[in-house]
Amino acid sequence: MQTSLGCSASSLASILLLVTGLLYVVVQFSDSGSKASGSIVSMPMIGMSNSRGPWPKCVGMTGDDCTDYIATATENTIHTTIIKPSDSDQQGKKFDEHRVRIYVDEDDIVDTIPRLG
């Protein structure tokens, strides 16, 4: 059966279903974006080492345990520096591919994912 526009009822139903589905996906995607929290962390592919960081497993460890973990996870010499809240303003911003800054809270617990730099 054809409509006055010259297209069949099944074509109209298909187009309506497609538009409804796209609208649903857009609404779901925009809602999920507002609920997300935290930061996106790049993770190594399965079977690859995490020798270049970041090291999300360090969050919640003590600064010294994180230093030991990074030392065992890296293949090259990496200089680690534990930075307490009172010292964080004194750190330079220059990138160094052989350095990892480990930010800890007042209780010496890592609160930020360590990265090279």
Side-chain angles (χ1 to χ4, degrees):
M1 173 169 107
Q2 297 230 339
T3 64
S4 60
L5 298 174
C7 45
S8 68
S10 62
S11 295
L12 283 176
S14 298
I15 291 171
L16 181 63
L17 186 61
L18 178 64
V19 169
T20 304
L22 287 173
L23 186 61
Y24 177 78
V25 169
V26 168
V27 169
Q28 291 297 318
F29 184 72
S30 63
D31 286 346
S32 68
S34 62
K35 296 176 187 173
S37 63
S39 59
I40 297 174
V41 178
S42 61
M43 298 298 290
M45 294 177 66
I46 294 173
M48 297 181 69
S49 70
N50 193 13
S51 64
R52 304 286 299 162
W55 296 274
K57 288 184 180 181
C58 282
V59 175
M61 292 182 179
T62 65
D64 290 332
D65 288 343
C66 180
T67 299
D68 295 341
Y69 175 75
I70 291 172
T72 59
T74 57
E75 299 162 357
N76 300 323
T77 302
I78 302 289
H79 303 286
T80 55
T81 304
I82 297 174
I83 301 172
K84 299 186 184 284
S86 59
D87 300 333
S88 63
D89 292 337
Q90 301 171 4
Q91 299 300 315
K93 302 295 181 193
K94 185 177 179 186
F95 183 84
D96 180 356
E97 66 181 43
H98 300 290
R99 175 188 61 213
V100 175
R101 292 180 176 151
I102 302 171
Y103 292 91
V104 297
D105 61 13
E106 297 82 17
D107 299 320
D108 195 42
I109 302 298
V110 178
D111 58 1
T112 305
I113 298 172
R115 292 175 169 77
L116 284 175

